[in-house]
Amino acid sequence: MRRRLALLLVLASACTESTTPAEDAGVDSGLTDSGTDAGSIDTGTDAGLVDTGTGPGDSGQPPDDAGMAPPLEGTVSAEIHVDHLGWRPTDRKVAVLVGHAGEAVEVRRIRDGAAVGAYTASATAVDEDSGDAAATVDLSALTEPGDYYLYLPTSGLRSYSFEVAETVYDIAGLAAAKSYYFQRCNHDRALPYAGDALGGHPGLGGRWVDGACHLVDGAVGAGPGSPDHGTLDLQGGWHDAGDYQKTLWGRGVPELLFAYELNPGAWRDGQLGIPEGGNGVPDLLDEVAWELDFYVRMQRPDGHFMSSLKGHAATVLSPPSASDEARVYFDTTSPSGGEWSGGGVTLTEATGNAVLSLAHAAVVYAAHDAARAATYRAAALNGWGWLSAANPANANERRLRASAAAAVLRADPNEASALAVVRAFSWQTWDGGRGSSATPSDTVVAAGAWHCLLGGGCGADTEAAIRDAAAQVIVAGAFSESGVYGGMYGGPGNGWEWSWGSNRAQSMYGANLMIAARFGILGGHGMDEVVERAQRHLHFMLGLNPLAMVYLTNMAAYGAEHSSFQIYHAWFSYTGNDGDHGNASFNGRPAAVEEPLYPYYPDDAQTSMYGPAPGLVPGGPNFYYSAGYTIPMRERPAYAYRDFSVGCEWTGSACNASSWEITEPALGYQGPFVLLASFFMSR
């Protein structure tokens, strides 16, 4: 039904004026696909059909008497903020207007143009993080599945379209999880897997095809200053971020494992369109195994894990298979400077991250792959033997050690040394951060806390301390910063969490709130209040934010055309000036995408054949951006973002662009978003 209606909408849009361009709301509200067909990947044979994307719900009725949907009223405006994917039928639904206090607002159904709801915007109030004079419109009475948009008849403006459906968030979680396939190291990206058909969506014919990259990782030697263990096989794992390094810092794995463990019904075999589909194991776990098997290879006989495998001095970086960078391992603190990125990770930190992930994986994989689970358990316990004897040198090492101990207790409840470390850690004070520096964005102490509550082996006193601290740090902390768009610590003059990688913090606010609610930690609020507060952070990531940005790459094929089309990435970004990275075929809005408000900034009007791979999470607004490029309204923390991908653009010896401070994706941003989305995906 969706393809027929989309074609009718293309015909209808041809009859409208340019002030009413069709846009892509994209998610098929008529589909209730359980995912059984997800393993059949469309290789893009429908790419010639440009889906204008209004994607009306399949109600079984024709769009109108003429057989085609009527034109949409008004002009798309970034002053009207909605979640670009939409809401589930029973969700609280609050749209935000910049200005327009007390103005009439209509909800119009795309299928037939009918006005199905009339509302009045509230008075305006200033939002701290953005400075917006924001009015709200509560659309919660809209519960009928379908595709809609908001129309302001007085101003002649309309919103991007959105959907009401139980499955509306599925594609966000699936695209974000599928993006890891495109970050695999030492693996090819081949059709049909390397296209954009996903979750019942045929896609727009995008394809990100490349041969296996960095095959030297199968026989790699030691880097400068590292102990030399000879030639090692260190294949596998994902590229860290926009570069091709593999460093054992926070790589999002604990969040992915929690996403599966806490919401297993959201994940199935065959749903991500990856090569392992159909093997009887949920695809998410297959993808995570590509990373975890690399961790096992990074372990030394005494139990510790090396810090990193790095490359530098490349003359060619894009596509990954053509990258000629020199690759070496480091069994020491990972270096920085001198073309080495991702520096400063100690062996204790690397081992803490690996043990935390592998011990958790031993629990999660036990029901699906007993042999793999046993391998992960053995590696985790061997690593714990080394880590338990280590003397933490800083807060990060101390926190990783405690959280790893909590995970180890789940893998082996008889591990006395792990219990001793857990008991000695100050959960009550959140390791000294409670009431000062600890916020709901935490990933390390929080991971250990959730392991204690899930495993039940940390002791009643420890669990009570965790519950008390989480109520203040996670729940009260989030509610204290509540704003119309979500809200995080910081504001004008002090961006705090609106800094490098703010989208990681945004996602963790929501994810930690949902986990706290799962354990009944509500901080005096009702369950519905806590869930709604968490969902604001998902809405923020999906377009209900000051810039109306969907903070995922290239999501137009799935109903979110105002998404990121330019990121700092060795494969996908800008090719000018730097001359050693990027690829013009993947930088900018794809030709098949209609986006009425693109470019978002006049200098960033690049178009491309395919755009970047879908579902990658860019860093997000960065109040502390340090380079010379103009970031409009940067003094307002939630506005400190620009959709661009230029690397340096040297001005003398100064790096004038540094887009990596804002738009570079990273594994540590990706996992938290997948975790947050998993709570709202259909089962």
Side-chain angles (χ1 to χ4, degrees), residues 498-557:
W498 298 96
S499 58
W500 200 322
S502 66
N503 280 341
R504 180 208 63 81
Q506 194 74 242
S507 294
M508 282 310 303
Y509 266 65
N512 276 332
L513 278 169
M514 290 303 294
I515 299 175
R518 180 69 60 92
F519 292 116
I521 302 170
L522 304 175
H525 299 276
M527 177 68 76
D528 289 346
E529 288 182 273
V530 175
V531 171
E532 188 273 334
R533 183 68 187 78
Q535 197 171 12
R536 289 194 206 181
H537 296 283
L538 180 64
H539 294 320
F540 183 99
M541 294 294 292
L542 297 179
L544 215 170
N545 59 60
L547 287 168
M549 283 292 303
V550 176
Y551 285 115
L552 296 170
T553 53
N554 207 359
M555 293 289 287

Coordinates of all heavy atoms in Angstrom, one line a residue, residues 498-557:
W498 N 26.6 20.4 27.3 CA 26.5 20.8 25.9 C 27.9 21.0 25.4 O 28.3 22.0 24.9 CB 25.7 22.0 25.8 CG 24.3 21.9 26.3 CD1 23.8 22.2 27.5 CD2 23.2 21.3 25.6 NE1 22.5 21.9 27.6 CE2 22.1 21.4 26.4 CE3 23.0 20.8 24.3 CZ2 20.8 20.9 26.0 CZ3 21.8 20.3 23.9 CH2 20.7 20.4 24.8
S499 N 28.7 19.9 25.4 CA 30.1 20.0 25.0 C 30.4 18.8 24.0 O 29.4 18.3 23.5 CB 31.0 19.9 26.2 OG 30.7 18.7 27.0
W500 N 31.6 18.5 23.8 CA 32.0 17.5 22.8 C 31.2 16.2 23.1 O 31.3 15.6 24.2 CB 33.5 17.3 22.9 CG 34.1 16.6 21.7 CD1 33.6 15.6 20.9 CD2 35.4 16.9 21.2 NE1 34.5 15.3 19.9 CE2 35.6 16.1 20.1 CE3 36.4 17.8 21.5 CZ2 36.8 16.1 19.3 CZ3 37.6 17.8 20.8 CH2 37.7 17.0 19.6
G501 N 30.5 15.7 22.2 CA 29.7 14.4 22.4 C 28.5 14.6 23.2 O 28.0 13.7 23.8
S502 N 27.8 15.8 23.1 CA 26.6 16.0 23.9 C 25.5 15.1 23.5 O 24.6 14.8 24.4 CB 26.2 17.5 23.7 OG 25.7 17.8 22.4
N503 N 25.5 14.5 22.3 CA 24.4 13.6 22.0 C 24.5 12.3 22.8 O 23.5 11.6 23.0 CB 24.4 13.3 20.5 CG 23.7 14.4 19.7 OD1 23.0 15.2 20.2 ND2 24.0 14.5 18.4
R504 N 25.8 11.9 23.2 CA 25.9 10.8 24.1 C 25.2 11.1 25.4 O 24.4 10.3 25.9 CB 27.4 10.5 24.3 CG 27.6 9.3 25.3 CD 28.9 9.4 26.0 NE 29.0 10.6 26.9 CZ 28.4 10.6 28.1 NH1 27.8 9.6 28.6 NH2 28.5 11.7 28.9
A505 N 25.5 12.3 26.0 CA 24.8 12.7 27.2 C 23.3 12.7 27.1 O 22.6 12.2 27.9 CB 25.3 14.0 27.7
Q506 N 22.8 13.3 25.9 CA 21.4 13.4 25.7 C 20.7 12.0 25.7 O 19.7 11.8 26.4 CB 21.2 14.0 24.3 CG 19.8 14.5 24.1 CD 19.4 15.8 24.8 OE1 18.5 15.7 25.6 NE2 20.2 16.8 24.6
S507 N 21.4 11.0 25.1 CA 20.8 9.7 25.1 C 20.9 9.0 26.4 O 19.9 8.3 26.8 CB 21.5 8.8 24.0 OG 21.3 9.3 22.7
M508 N 22.0 9.2 27.1 CA 22.1 8.6 28.4 C 21.2 9.1 29.5 O 20.7 8.4 30.4 CB 23.6 8.6 28.9 CG 24.5 7.7 28.3 SD 23.9 5.9 28.2 CE 23.7 5.6 30.0
Y509 N 20.8 10.4 29.4 CA 19.8 10.9 30.3 C 18.5 10.1 30.2 O 18.0 9.6 31.2 CB 19.5 12.4 29.9 CG 20.2 13.5 30.7 CD1 21.6 13.6 30.6 CD2 19.5 14.4 31.5 CE1 22.3 14.6 31.2 CE2 20.2 15.4 32.1 CZ 21.6 15.5 32.0 OH 22.2 16.5 32.7
G510 N 18.1 9.9 29.0 CA 16.9 9.1 28.8 C 17.0 7.7 29.1 O 16.1 7.1 29.7
A511 N 18.1 7.1 28.7 CA 18.3 5.6 29.0 C 18.4 5.3 30.4 O 17.8 4.4 30.9 CB 19.6 5.2 28.2
N512 N 19.2 6.2 31.2 CA 19.3 5.9 32.6 C 18.0 6.1 33.3 O 17.7 5.4 34.3 CB 20.4 6.8 33.2 CG 21.8 6.3 33.1 OD1 22.0 5.1 33.0 ND2 22.8 7.1 33.0
L513 N 17.2 7.1 32.9 CA 15.9 7.3 33.5 C 15.0 6.0 33.3 O 14.3 5.6 34.2 CB 15.2 8.5 32.9 CG 15.6 9.9 33.5 CD1 15.0 11.0 32.6 CD2 15.1 10.0 34.9
M514 N 15.1 5.5 32.1 CA 14.3 4.3 31.8 C 14.7 3.1 32.6 O 13.9 2.3 33.1 CB 14.3 3.9 30.3 CG 13.6 4.9 29.4 SD 11.8 5.2 29.9 CE 11.2 3.5 29.5
I515 N 16.0 2.9 32.8 CA 16.5 1.8 33.6 C 16.2 2.0 35.1 O 15.7 1.1 35.8 CB 18.1 1.6 33.5 CG1 18.4 1.3 32.0 CG2 18.6 0.5 34.4 CD1 19.9 1.3 31.7
A516 N 16.3 3.3 35.6 CA 15.9 3.6 36.9 C 14.4 3.2 37.1 O 14.0 2.6 38.1 CB 16.2 5.0 37.3
A517 N 13.6 3.6 36.2 CA 12.2 3.3 36.3 C 11.9 1.8 36.3 O 11.0 1.3 37.0 CB 11.4 4.0 35.1
R518 N 12.7 1.1 35.5 CA 12.6 -0.4 35.5 C 12.8 -1.0 36.9 O 12.1 -2.0 37.2 CB 13.6 -1.0 34.5 CG 13.6 -2.5 34.3 CD 12.3 -3.0 33.6 NE 12.2 -2.4 32.3 CZ 12.7 -3.0 31.2 NH1 13.3 -4.1 31.3 NH2 12.5 -2.4 30.0
F519 N 13.6 -0.4 37.7 CA 13.9 -0.9 39.0 C 13.0 -0.2 40.1 O 13.2 -0.3 41.3 CB 15.3 -0.7 39.4 CG 16.3 -1.6 38.6 CD1 17.2 -1.1 37.8 CD2 16.2 -3.0 38.7 CE1 18.1 -1.9 37.0 CE2 17.0 -3.8 38.0 CZ 18.0 -3.3 37.2
G520 N 12.0 0.6 39.6 CA 11.1 1.3 40.5 C 11.8 2.5 41.2 O 11.3 2.9 42.3
I521 N 12.9 3.0 40.7 CA 13.6 4.2 41.3 C 12.9 5.4 40.6 O 13.3 5.8 39.5 CB 15.1 4.1 41.0 CG1 15.7 2.8 41.7 CG2 15.8 5.3 41.6 CD1 17.1 2.6 41.3
L522 N 12.0 6.0 41.3 CA 11.2 7.1 40.7 C 11.4 8.5 41.3 O 10.9 9.5 40.9 CB 9.7 6.7 40.8 CG 9.4 5.4 40.1 CD1 7.9 5.1 40.3 CD2 9.7 5.4 38.6
G523 N 12.2 8.5 42.4 CA 12.5 9.8 43.1 C 11.2 10.6 43.5 O 11.2 11.8 43.4
G524 N 10.2 9.9 43.8 CA 8.9 10.6 44.2 C 8.0 11.0 43.1 O 7.0 11.5 43.3
H525 N 8.4 10.6 41.9 CA 7.6 10.9 40.7 C 6.8 9.7 40.3 O 7.1 8.6 40.8 CB 8.4 11.3 39.5 CG 9.2 12.6 39.8 ND1 8.7 13.8 39.6 CD2 10.5 12.8 40.2 CE1 9.6 14.7 39.9 NE2 10.7 14.1 40.3
G526 N 5.8 9.9 39.5 CA 5.0 8.7 39.0 C 5.8 8.0 37.9 O 6.6 8.7 37.2
M527 N 5.5 6.8 37.7 CA 6.1 6.0 36.6 C 5.9 6.7 35.3 O 6.8 6.9 34.5 CB 5.6 4.6 36.5 CG 6.1 3.8 35.4 SD 7.9 3.4 35.6 CE 7.8 2.1 36.8
D528 N 4.7 7.2 35.0 CA 4.4 7.9 33.7 C 5.2 9.1 33.6 O 5.7 9.5 32.5 CB 2.9 8.2 33.6 CG 2.0 7.0 33.4 OD1 2.6 5.9 33.1 OD2 0.8 7.1 33.6
E529 N 5.4 9.9 34.7 CA 6.2 11.1 34.6 C 7.6 10.8 34.2 O 8.3 11.5 33.4 CB 6.2 11.8 36.0 CG 5.0 12.5 36.4 CD 5.2 13.1 37.8 OE1 5.0 12.4 38.8 OE2 5.5 14.3 37.8
V530 N 8.2 9.7 34.8 CA 9.6 9.4 34.6 C 9.8 8.9 33.1 O 10.7 9.3 32.4 CB 10.1 8.3 35.6 CG1 11.5 7.9 35.2 CG2 10.1 8.9 37.0
V531 N 8.9 8.1 32.6 CA 8.9 7.6 31.3 C 8.8 8.8 30.3 O 9.5 8.9 29.3 CB 7.9 6.6 31.0 CG1 7.8 6.2 29.5 CG2 8.2 5.3 31.8
E532 N 7.8 9.7 30.6 CA 7.7 10.8 29.7 C 8.9 11.7 29.7 O 9.3 12.2 28.6 CB 6.4 11.6 30.1 CG 6.0 12.8 29.1 CD 6.7 14.1 29.4 OE1 7.2 14.3 30.6 OE2 6.9 14.9 28.4
R533 N 9.5 11.9 30.9 CA 10.7 12.7 30.9 C 11.9 12.1 30.1 O 12.6 12.8 29.4 CB 11.1 12.9 32.4 CG 12.3 13.7 32.7 CD 12.0 15.2 32.3 NE 13.2 16.0 32.4 CZ 14.2 16.1 31.5 NH1 14.0 15.4 30.4 NH2 15.2 16.9 31.6
A534 N 12.0 10.7 30.2 CA 13.0 10.0 29.5 C 12.7 10.2 28.0 O 13.7 10.4 27.2 CB 13.0 8.6 29.8
Q535 N 11.5 10.1 27.6 CA 11.1 10.1 26.2 C 11.4 11.5 25.5 O 11.7 11.6 24.3 CB 9.7 9.8 26.0 CG 9.3 9.4 24.5 CD 7.9 8.9 24.4 OE1 7.1 9.0 25.3 NE2 7.6 8.3 23.3
R536 N 11.5 12.6 26.3 CA 11.9 13.9 25.8 C 13.2 13.8 25.2 O 13.5 14.5 24.2 CB 11.8 14.9 26.9 CG 10.4 15.3 27.3 CD 10.5 16.6 28.1 NE 9.4 16.7 29.1 CZ 9.2 17.7 29.9 NH1 10.0 18.7 29.9 NH2 8.1 17.7 30.7
H537 N 14.1 13.0 25.7 CA 15.5 12.9 25.2 C 15.5 12.2 23.9 O 16.3 12.5 23.0 CB 16.4 12.3 26.2 CG 16.6 13.2 27.4 ND1 17.4 14.3 27.5 CD2 16.0 13.1 28.7 CE1 17.3 14.9 28.7 NE2 16.4 14.2 29.4
L538 N 14.6 11.2 23.7 CA 14.5 10.5 22.5 C 13.9 11.5 21.4 O 14.4 11.6 20.3 CB 13.6 9.3 22.6 CG 13.3 8.5 21.3 CD1 14.6 7.9 20.8 CD2 12.3 7.4 21.5
H539 N 12.9 12.2 21.8 CA 12.3 13.2 20.9 C 13.4 14.2 20.5 O 13.4 14.6 19.3 CB 11.2 14.0 21.6 CG 10.0 13.1 21.9 ND1 9.5 12.2 21.0 CD2 9.1 13.1 23.0 CE1 8.4 11.6 21.5 NE2 8.2 12.2 22.7
F540 N 14.2 14.7 21.4 CA 15.3 15.6 21.1 C 16.2 15.0 20.0 O 16.5 15.7 19.0 CB 16.2 15.9 22.3 CG 17.2 16.9 22.1 CD1 17.1 18.2 22.5 CD2 18.5 16.6 21.5 CE1 18.1 19.2 22.3 CE2 19.5 17.5 21.3 CZ 19.3 18.8 21.7
M541 N 16.6 13.8 20.1 CA 17.4 13.2 19.1 C 16.8 13.0 17.8 O 17.4 12.9 16.7 CB 17.9 11.8 19.6 CG 18.9 11.9 20.9 SD 20.4 12.7 20.5 CE 21.2 11.5 19.4
L542 N 15.4 13.0 17.8 CA 14.7 12.7 16.5 C 14.0 14.0 16.0 O 13.1 13.9 15.2 CB 13.7 11.6 16.8 CG 14.3 10.2 17.2 CD1 13.1 9.2 17.4 CD2 15.2 9.7 16.1
G543 N 14.5 15.1 16.4 CA 14.1 16.3 15.7 C 13.4 17.3 16.6 O 13.2 18.5 16.2
L544 N 12.9 17.0 17.8 CA 12.2 17.9 18.6 C 13.2 18.6 19.5 O 13.3 18.4 20.7 CB 11.1 17.2 19.5 CG 9.8 18.0 19.7 CD1 8.8 17.1 20.4 CD2 10.0 19.2 20.6
N545 N 14.0 19.5 18.8 CA 15.1 20.2 19.4 C 15.1 21.6 18.7 O 14.5 21.8 17.7 CB 16.4 19.5 19.3 CG 16.8 19.2 17.9 OD1 16.9 20.1 17.1 ND2 16.9 17.9 17.5
P546 N 15.9 22.5 19.2 CA 15.9 23.9 18.7 C 16.2 24.0 17.2 O 15.7 24.8 16.5 CB 17.0 24.6 19.5 CG 17.0 23.9 20.8 CD 16.7 22.5 20.5
L547 N 17.1 23.1 16.7 CA 17.5 23.1 15.3 C 16.6 22.3 14.4 O 16.8 22.2 13.2 CB 18.9 22.7 15.1 CG 20.0 23.7 15.6 CD1 21.3 23.1 15.7 CD2 20.0 24.9 14.6
A548 N 15.6 21.6 15.0 CA 14.8 20.6 14.3 C 15.6 19.5 13.6 O 15.2 18.9 12.7 CB 13.9 21.3 13.2
M549 N 16.8 19.3 14.1 CA 17.7 18.3 13.5 C 17.4 16.9 14.0 O 17.1 16.7 15.2 CB 19.2 18.6 13.9 CG 19.8 19.7 13.1 SD 20.1 19.4 11.4 CE 21.1 17.9 11.5
V550 N 17.4 16.0 13.1 CA 17.4 14.6 13.5 C 18.9 14.2 13.6 O 19.6 14.2 12.7 CB 16.7 13.7 12.5 CG1 16.8 12.2 12.8 CG2 15.2 14.1 12.3
Y551 N 19.3 13.9 14.9 CA 20.7 13.7 15.1 C 21.1 12.2 14.8 O 21.7 11.5 15.6 CB 21.1 14.0 16.5 CG 21.2 15.5 16.7 CD1 20.3 16.2 17.6 CD2 22.1 16.3 16.1 CE1 20.4 17.6 17.7 CE2 22.2 17.7 16.2 CZ 21.3 18.3 17.0 OH 21.4 19.7 17.2
L552 N 20.7 11.8 13.6 CA 21.2 10.5 13.0 C 21.4 10.9 11.5 O 20.8 11.8 11.0 CB 20.1 9.4 13.1 CG 19.7 8.9 14.4 CD1 18.4 8.0 14.3 CD2 20.8 8.2 15.1
T553 N 22.4 10.2 10.9 CA 22.7 10.5 9.5 C 21.7 9.9 8.6 O 21.2 8.8 8.7 CB 24.1 10.0 9.2 OG1 24.2 8.6 9.5 CG2 25.2 10.8 9.9
N554 N 21.4 10.7 7.5 CA 20.8 10.2 6.3 C 19.5 9.4 6.5 O 19.4 8.2 6.0 CB 21.8 9.5 5.5 CG 21.5 9.5 4.0 OD1 20.5 10.1 3.5 ND2 22.4 8.8 3.3
M555 N 18.6 9.9 7.3 CA 17.4 9.1 7.6 C 16.2 9.4 6.8 O 15.0 9.1 7.1 CB 17.0 9.4 9.1 CG 18.1 8.9 10.1 SD 18.0 7.1 10.2 CE 16.5 6.8 11.1
A556 N 16.3 10.1 5.6 CA 15.2 10.5 4.8 C 14.4 9.3 4.3 O 13.2 9.3 4.2 CB 15.7 11.4 3.6
A557 N 15.1 8.2 4.0 CA 14.5 7.0 3.5 C 13.5 6.4 4.5 O 12.6 5.6 4.2 CB 15.5 6.0 3.1

